[in-house]
Amino acid sequence: GKCVEGGECCRDKAVTAAGLIKVTYQVDGLACSACDTKLTKVLGSLDGVKAPAVSHKTKMAKLAYDPKKVKEAKLVAAIEKAGYRVKSEIIQVSVEGMTCTGCSSKVSTAVASLKGVSEQKVCHESKTAVVTFDPKTVSRDKVLAAIDQTGFKVVR
């Protein structure tokens, strides 16, 4: 559903806890539970990564990381070095200041204009933005900066 009309992305709110950034990667090449175990171990071995969870059924790798200890490029590189391909990244952030569908549309348009962004759902009701993008084309920081440039503020 469309988030501006109160769709699914309006439910889940938690973005960061204790300064950690939560991230989800869509990963190609995950074929079985052995792949899940292998990639979970690879991600878990990186300093600053917490609670990695990999599923070949959903083709997703979820984790939280400490940006003071590990750079995101290192996470993507570790996944690819393990023999898998990061297809896209999905982030969910809280955005302050949105009060109506016009607000969420402005944020949605700004994010959609970035090269590498494939999907965005912005909800003024829950004050969230869920963005799917290619981390090799556009960085998480550029996505957040695009939101901030609309006059609304990403909660960091």
Side-chain angles (χ1 to χ4, degrees):
K2 289 245 182 223
C3 206
V4 290
E5 295 162 353
E8 313 93 55
C9 75
C10 296
R11 283 190 223 127
D12 191 11
K13 289 190 183 182
V15 179
T16 60
L20 299 178
I21 295 172
K22 286 186 181 179
V23 66
T24 301
Y25 295 107
Q26 291 178 323
V27 182
D28 279 345
L30 294 171
C32 61
S33 57
C35 297
D36 299 351
T37 304
K38 176 184 173 186
L39 189 53
T40 299
K41 279 186 181 164
V42 166
L43 291 168
S45 71
L46 296 172
D47 188 34
V49 172
K50 305 275 186 249
V54 180
S55 170
H56 66 282
K57 291 181 179 134
T58 61
K59 309 285 187 231
M60 301 280 190
K62 296 181 179 192
L63 57 97
Y65 71 96
D66 182 342
K68 293 182 197 88
K69 291 185 179 176
V70 64
K71 297 285 174 235
E72 192 172 15
K74 189 172 180 180
L75 302 175
V76 173
I79 293 169
E80 303 212 332
K81 189 177 177 195
Y84 307 102
R85 189 176 83 80
V86 174
K87 192 172 157 189
S88 61
E89 178 178 339
I90 304 165
I91 59 169
Q92 179 173 322
V93 293
S94 295
V95 182
E96 285 180 348
M98 297 189 298
T99 57
C100 65
T101 54
C103 299
S104 48
S105 291
K106 185 176 180 183
V107 172
S108 191
T109 301
V111 172
S113 71
L114 294 173
K115 189 175 192 291
V117 171
S118 57
E119 190 179 350
Q120 75 290 328
K121 294 176 185 158
V122 183
C123 178
H124 67 279
E125 292 162 15
S126 65
K127 313 246 184 282
T128 58
V130 179
V131 185
T132 304
F133 60 95
D134 178 350
K136 291 183 283 285
T137 305
V138 65
S139 70
R140 178 182 199 280
D141 289 341
K142 277 209 173 108
V143 172
L144 301 183
I147 295 170
D148 284 339
Q149 285 167 5
T150 62
F152 303 106
K153 187 173 177 355
V154 174
V155 179
R156 287 176 172 84

mmCIF file of all heavy atoms in Angstrom, residues 107-135:
data_model
loop_
_atom_site.group_PDB
_atom_site.id
_atom_site.type_symbol
_atom_site.label_atom_id
_atom_site.label_comp_id
_atom_site.label_asym_id
_atom_site.label_seq_id
_atom_site.Cartn_x
_atom_site.Cartn_y
_atom_site.Cartn_z
ATOM 1 N N VAL A 107 8.817 14.732 0.957
ATOM 2 C CA VAL A 107 9.937 13.867 1.344
ATOM 3 C C VAL A 107 10.078 12.722 0.342
ATOM 4 O O VAL A 107 11.174 12.415 -0.130
ATOM 5 C CB VAL A 107 9.752 13.324 2.781
ATOM 6 C CG1 VAL A 107 10.806 12.267 3.114
ATOM 7 C CG2 VAL A 107 9.810 14.464 3.791
ATOM 8 N N SER A 108 8.955 12.112 -0.016
ATOM 9 C CA SER A 108 8.943 10.994 -0.956
ATOM 10 C C SER A 108 9.549 11.404 -2.301
ATOM 11 O O SER A 108 10.381 10.696 -2.868
ATOM 12 C CB SER A 108 7.504 10.511 -1.138
ATOM 13 O OG SER A 108 7.476 9.303 -1.818
ATOM 14 N N THR A 109 9.160 12.561 -2.805
ATOM 15 C CA THR A 109 9.669 13.062 -4.085
ATOM 16 C C THR A 109 11.169 13.316 -4.025
ATOM 17 O O THR A 109 11.908 12.964 -4.955
ATOM 18 C CB THR A 109 8.923 14.360 -4.478
ATOM 19 O OG1 THR A 109 7.527 14.059 -4.577
ATOM 20 C CG2 THR A 109 9.405 14.903 -5.808
ATOM 21 N N ALA A 110 11.629 13.903 -2.928
ATOM 22 C CA ALA A 110 13.058 14.193 -2.769
ATOM 23 C C ALA A 110 13.886 12.912 -2.783
ATOM 24 O O ALA A 110 14.922 12.826 -3.443
ATOM 25 C CB ALA A 110 13.298 14.964 -1.477
ATOM 26 N N VAL A 111 13.412 11.904 -2.069
ATOM 27 C CA VAL A 111 14.135 10.629 -1.993
ATOM 28 C C VAL A 111 14.082 9.902 -3.334
ATOM 29 O O VAL A 111 15.077 9.362 -3.809
ATOM 30 C CB VAL A 111 13.572 9.761 -0.847
ATOM 31 C CG1 VAL A 111 14.178 8.373 -0.868
ATOM 32 C CG2 VAL A 111 13.823 10.424 0.499
ATOM 33 N N ALA A 112 12.908 9.914 -3.972
ATOM 34 C CA ALA A 112 12.735 9.225 -5.255
ATOM 35 C C ALA A 112 13.629 9.802 -6.346
ATOM 36 O O ALA A 112 13.993 9.105 -7.296
ATOM 37 C CB ALA A 112 11.270 9.289 -5.690
ATOM 38 N N SER A 113 14.010 11.083 -6.216
ATOM 39 C CA SER A 113 14.832 11.726 -7.243
ATOM 40 C C SER A 113 16.291 11.277 -7.195
ATOM 41 O O SER A 113 17.054 11.534 -8.122
ATOM 42 C CB SER A 113 14.763 13.248 -7.094
ATOM 43 O OG SER A 113 15.462 13.653 -5.931
ATOM 44 N N LEU A 114 16.687 10.580 -6.127
ATOM 45 C CA LEU A 114 18.072 10.120 -6.010
ATOM 46 C C LEU A 114 18.313 8.900 -6.895
ATOM 47 O O LEU A 114 17.525 7.956 -6.889
ATOM 48 C CB LEU A 114 18.394 9.740 -4.562
ATOM 49 C CG LEU A 114 18.397 10.862 -3.535
ATOM 50 C CD1 LEU A 114 18.557 10.270 -2.146
ATOM 51 C CD2 LEU A 114 19.512 11.849 -3.809
ATOM 52 N N LYS A 115 19.422 8.927 -7.640
ATOM 53 C CA LYS A 115 19.813 7.768 -8.447
ATOM 54 C C LYS A 115 20.148 6.620 -7.495
ATOM 55 O O LYS A 115 20.873 6.812 -6.523
ATOM 56 C CB LYS A 115 21.037 8.145 -9.284
ATOM 57 C CG LYS A 115 21.431 7.117 -10.322
ATOM 58 C CD LYS A 115 22.576 7.651 -11.160
ATOM 59 C CE LYS A 115 22.846 6.846 -12.383
ATOM 60 N NZ LYS A 115 23.386 5.547 -12.208
ATOM 61 N N GLY A 116 19.591 5.446 -7.752
ATOM 62 C CA GLY A 116 19.861 4.292 -6.909
ATOM 63 C C GLY A 116 18.725 3.951 -5.967
ATOM 64 O O GLY A 116 18.689 2.861 -5.411
ATOM 65 N N VAL A 117 17.773 4.882 -5.784
ATOM 66 C CA VAL A 117 16.614 4.601 -4.934
ATOM 67 C C VAL A 117 15.561 3.888 -5.768
ATOM 68 O O VAL A 117 15.163 4.360 -6.826
ATOM 69 C CB VAL A 117 16.025 5.897 -4.320
ATOM 70 C CG1 VAL A 117 14.698 5.623 -3.624
ATOM 71 C CG2 VAL A 117 17.011 6.519 -3.341
ATOM 72 N N SER A 118 15.121 2.708 -5.303
ATOM 73 C CA SER A 118 14.134 1.941 -6.063
ATOM 74 C C SER A 118 12.732 2.030 -5.481
ATOM 75 O O SER A 118 11.752 1.834 -6.187
ATOM 76 C CB SER A 118 14.564 0.474 -6.165
ATOM 77 O OG SER A 118 14.750 -0.062 -4.877
ATOM 78 N N GLU A 119 12.633 2.326 -4.181
ATOM 79 C CA GLU A 119 11.318 2.400 -3.557
ATOM 80 C C GLU A 119 11.389 3.265 -2.312
ATOM 81 O O GLU A 119 12.401 3.284 -1.623
ATOM 82 C CB GLU A 119 10.857 0.988 -3.174
ATOM 83 C CG GLU A 119 9.421 0.901 -2.731
ATOM 84 C CD GLU A 119 8.996 -0.536 -2.385
ATOM 85 O OE1 GLU A 119 9.752 -1.483 -2.668
ATOM 86 O OE2 GLU A 119 7.911 -0.675 -1.823
ATOM 87 N N GLN A 120 10.316 3.988 -2.036
ATOM 88 C CA GLN A 120 10.238 4.767 -0.807
ATOM 89 C C GLN A 120 8.789 4.821 -0.356
ATOM 90 O O GLN A 120 7.875 4.906 -1.155
ATOM 91 C CB GLN A 120 10.827 6.167 -0.974
ATOM 92 C CG GLN A 120 9.981 7.165 -1.743
ATOM 93 C CD GLN A 120 9.865 6.859 -3.218
ATOM 94 O OE1 GLN A 120 10.786 6.331 -3.804
ATOM 95 N NE2 GLN A 120 8.740 7.175 -3.822
ATOM 96 N N LYS A 121 8.610 4.698 0.950
ATOM 97 C CA LYS A 121 7.288 4.810 1.561
ATOM 98 C C LYS A 121 7.440 5.811 2.695
ATOM 99 O O LYS A 121 8.222 5.589 3.611
ATOM 100 C CB LYS A 121 6.821 3.461 2.105
ATOM 101 C CG LYS A 121 6.574 2.424 1.037
ATOM 102 C CD LYS A 121 6.199 1.095 1.655
ATOM 103 C CE LYS A 121 6.067 0.021 0.594
ATOM 104 N NZ LYS A 121 6.228 -1.317 1.141
ATOM 105 N N VAL A 122 6.712 6.886 2.622
ATOM 106 C CA VAL A 122 6.823 7.931 3.632
ATOM 107 C C VAL A 122 5.455 8.128 4.271
ATOM 108 O O VAL A 122 4.452 8.240 3.574
ATOM 109 C CB VAL A 122 7.320 9.263 3.010
ATOM 110 C CG1 VAL A 122 7.503 10.319 4.086
ATOM 111 C CG2 VAL A 122 8.630 9.043 2.256
ATOM 112 N N CYS A 123 5.429 8.150 5.599
ATOM 113 C CA CYS A 123 4.168 8.254 6.328
ATOM 114 C C CYS A 123 4.225 9.396 7.337
ATOM 115 O O CYS A 123 5.031 9.356 8.258
ATOM 116 C CB CYS A 123 3.887 6.940 7.047
ATOM 117 S SG CYS A 123 2.387 6.968 8.014
ATOM 118 N N HIS A 124 3.374 10.396 7.136
ATOM 119 C CA HIS A 124 3.363 11.522 8.081
ATOM 120 C C HIS A 124 2.723 11.126 9.411
ATOM 121 O O HIS A 124 3.036 11.704 10.439
ATOM 122 C CB HIS A 124 2.635 12.735 7.479
ATOM 123 C CG HIS A 124 1.172 12.521 7.278
ATOM 124 N ND1 HIS A 124 0.680 11.851 6.184
ATOM 125 C CD2 HIS A 124 0.102 12.856 8.039
ATOM 126 C CE1 HIS A 124 -0.641 11.800 6.270
ATOM 127 N NE2 HIS A 124 -1.019 12.401 7.385
ATOM 128 N N GLU A 125 1.836 10.118 9.400
ATOM 129 C CA GLU A 125 1.154 9.706 10.632
ATOM 130 C C GLU A 125 2.126 9.108 11.644
ATOM 131 O O GLU A 125 2.103 9.457 12.821
ATOM 132 C CB GLU A 125 0.041 8.703 10.309
ATOM 133 C CG GLU A 125 -1.110 9.325 9.541
ATOM 134 C CD GLU A 125 -1.986 8.291 8.862
ATOM 135 O OE1 GLU A 125 -1.891 7.094 9.198
ATOM 136 O OE2 GLU A 125 -2.757 8.679 7.979
ATOM 137 N N SER A 126 2.976 8.196 11.185
ATOM 138 C CA SER A 126 3.944 7.581 12.098
ATOM 139 C C SER A 126 5.290 8.301 12.051
ATOM 140 O O SER A 126 6.217 7.935 12.758
ATOM 141 C CB SER A 126 4.146 6.111 11.744
ATOM 142 O OG SER A 126 4.739 6.007 10.463
ATOM 143 N N LYS A 127 5.387 9.315 11.183
ATOM 144 C CA LYS A 127 6.621 10.098 11.021
ATOM 145 C C LYS A 127 7.798 9.212 10.634
ATOM 146 O O LYS A 127 8.895 9.322 11.176
ATOM 147 C CB LYS A 127 6.949 10.874 12.306
ATOM 148 C CG LYS A 127 5.743 11.603 12.883
ATOM 149 C CD LYS A 127 5.905 13.083 12.838
ATOM 150 C CE LYS A 127 4.783 13.849 13.487
ATOM 151 N NZ LYS A 127 3.579 13.969 12.698
ATOM 152 N N THR A 128 7.550 8.292 9.673
ATOM 153 C CA THR A 128 8.623 7.403 9.231
ATOM 154 C C THR A 128 8.807 7.454 7.720
ATOM 155 O O THR A 128 7.878 7.784 6.971
ATOM 156 C CB THR A 128 8.344 5.925 9.604
ATOM 157 O OG1 THR A 128 7.106 5.532 9.021
ATOM 158 C CG2 THR A 128 8.307 5.715 11.100
ATOM 159 N N ALA A 129 10.014 7.100 7.307
ATOM 160 C CA ALA A 129 10.337 6.927 5.894
ATOM 161 C C ALA A 129 11.063 5.590 5.771
ATOM 162 O O ALA A 129 11.999 5.318 6.522
ATOM 163 C CB ALA A 129 11.238 8.056 5.404
ATOM 164 N N VAL A 130 10.592 4.751 4.852
ATOM 165 C CA VAL A 130 11.244 3.483 4.557
ATOM 166 C C VAL A 130 11.750 3.598 3.124
ATOM 167 O O VAL A 130 10.971 3.841 2.200
ATOM 168 C CB VAL A 130 10.257 2.293 4.689
ATOM 169 C CG1 VAL A 130 10.963 0.984 4.355
ATOM 170 C CG2 VAL A 130 9.651 2.245 6.084
ATOM 171 N N VAL A 131 13.071 3.453 2.958
ATOM 172 C CA VAL A 131 13.689 3.672 1.651
ATOM 173 C C VAL A 131 14.500 2.446 1.245
ATOM 174 O O VAL A 131 15.284 1.920 2.029
ATOM 175 C CB VAL A 131 14.617 4.918 1.679
ATOM 176 C CG1 VAL A 131 15.168 5.213 0.289
ATOM 177 C CG2 VAL A 131 13.878 6.136 2.227
ATOM 178 N N THR A 132 14.283 1.985 0.000
ATOM 179 C CA THR A 132 15.034 0.872 -0.581
ATOM 180 C C THR A 132 15.948 1.452 -1.653
ATOM 181 O O THR A 132 15.485 2.176 -2.539
ATOM 182 C CB THR A 132 14.073 -0.163 -1.204
ATOM 183 O OG1 THR A 132 13.155 -0.597 -0.204
ATOM 184 C CG2 THR A 132 14.835 -1.363 -1.759
ATOM 185 N N PHE A 133 17.251 1.141 -1.553
ATOM 186 C CA PHE A 133 18.212 1.711 -2.497
ATOM 187 C C PHE A 133 19.404 0.787 -2.702
ATOM 188 O O PHE A 133 19.630 -0.138 -1.925
ATOM 189 C CB PHE A 133 18.674 3.093 -2.019
ATOM 190 C CG PHE A 133 19.355 3.086 -0.678
ATOM 191 C CD1 PHE A 133 20.729 3.017 -0.563
ATOM 192 C CD2 PHE A 133 18.600 3.157 0.488
ATOM 193 C CE1 PHE A 133 21.353 3.003 0.678
ATOM 194 C CE2 PHE A 133 19.213 3.152 1.740
ATOM 195 C CZ PHE A 133 20.592 3.075 1.832
ATOM 196 N N ASP A 134 20.174 1.065 -3.767
ATOM 197 C CA ASP A 134 21.396 0.319 -4.061
ATOM 198 C C ASP A 134 22.544 1.014 -3.327
ATOM 199 O O ASP A 134 22.916 2.134 -3.685
ATOM 200 C CB ASP A 134 21.649 0.307 -5.572
ATOM 201 C CG ASP A 134 22.925 -0.417 -5.945
ATOM 202 O OD1 ASP A 134 23.742 -0.753 -5.049
ATOM 203 O OD2 ASP A 134 23.139 -0.650 -7.152
ATOM 204 N N PRO A 135 23.114 0.366 -2.285
ATOM 205 C CA PRO A 135 24.159 1.032 -1.508
ATOM 206 C C PRO A 135 25.453 1.278 -2.276
ATOM 207 O O PRO A 135 26.310 2.032 -1.832
ATOM 208 C CB PRO A 135 24.386 0.081 -0.328
ATOM 209 C CG PRO A 135 23.940 -1.251 -0.812
ATOM 210 C CD PRO A 135 22.831 -0.982 -1.796
#
